[in-house]
Amino acid sequence: QGEVSSGGGEEKILVLVRLRPLSEKEVAKNEVADWECINENTILFRNSLQERSMFPTAYTFDRVFGGDSQTRQVYEEGAKEIALSVVSGINSSIFAYGQTSSGKTYTMVGITEYTVADIYDYIHRHEERAFVLKFCAMEIYNEAIRDLLSADSTPLRVLDDPEKGTVVEKITEETLRDWAHLKELLSICEAQRRIGETSLNETSSRSHQILRLTIESSAREFLGKDNSTKLSASVNFVDLAGSERAAQALSVGARLKEGCHINRSLLTLSTVIRKLSKGRHGHVNYRDSKLTRILQPCLGGNARTAIICTLSPARSHVDQSRNTLLFATCAK
Ligand code: ADP
Ligand code: MG
């Protein structure tokens, strides 16, 4: 019980690394950038003062993006193919993983918008099919799920529906009218997230955010007659809690519970990702955390996954950067 086979798909997880530039503030504090992308696949630690034998100097991934890269490029050359598989009825998830301030939100906001723009473009070019786009958004904080499209902060329950699989009960699901409607919903999410922040102290670094876009389509000529051409799939944009939280499980006092929970969701995700990366065979314990439970239909089997690991180049962040690359290495 609680163990679900990850299915037979052989699709690997796409692992991308994005380095951000030093911020003006960091430059003003005389921070030094220790990391450099030397080609499309290799990121190098180039601080010659450090002892080289203690850790690898060069790390290779499916694709790395340097400090001067644009989000458009990360999308086009990295996330696009996986995000758009949703129009063919294939579930997918795009994750941003990294320490707080490394660029997760900066990257995910852009990628979400580019994806939706391309989906609308696809819809306009395929008039033979009728499409319905649905959007929902949630935040996981302390293993409690909050609806980001509702002012009601009562935690939502996750249920196993015999037909639909894992569902979040009572979550607000909006049918998207157009691009402007999406922008409106995204700003509601932003506002909801900020309300949480003032009462809970920078929640965004401690909570996971999932934006989910579901696309249903059917061939127009069979509309209302025949469900055989009906396709339905979701793409998830997941802005994870700061990865430094995973290392803080043993923090003291009131934060203990929080640290453990965040550790649990991030840790379970790491375990799931590591298992999936090894050929997607065997059993994966999705039920160990809310995050993996909610995402289960979009992780195993035929689903497609990309992880964008974001990195600060600053010398003062070198330990966290190495941890992030370690996670990235395990995922590939
Ligand atoms: P996180 O969500 O990981 O905590 P943010 O996305 O909020 O980090 O980024 C922290 C700061 O760095 C923000 O001010 C953001 O605008 C800036 N930033 C992040 N990535 C980049 C980038 N690739 N290029 C320029 N600025 C960036
Ligand atoms: Mg953020």
Side-chain angles (χ1 to χ4, degrees), residues 99-106 193 204-205 239-240 242:
Q99 78 172 113
T100 299
S101 90
S102 59
K104 294 183 298 298
T105 304
Y106 182 90
R193 244 195 151 183
S204 71
S205 68
D239 190 346
L240 291 167

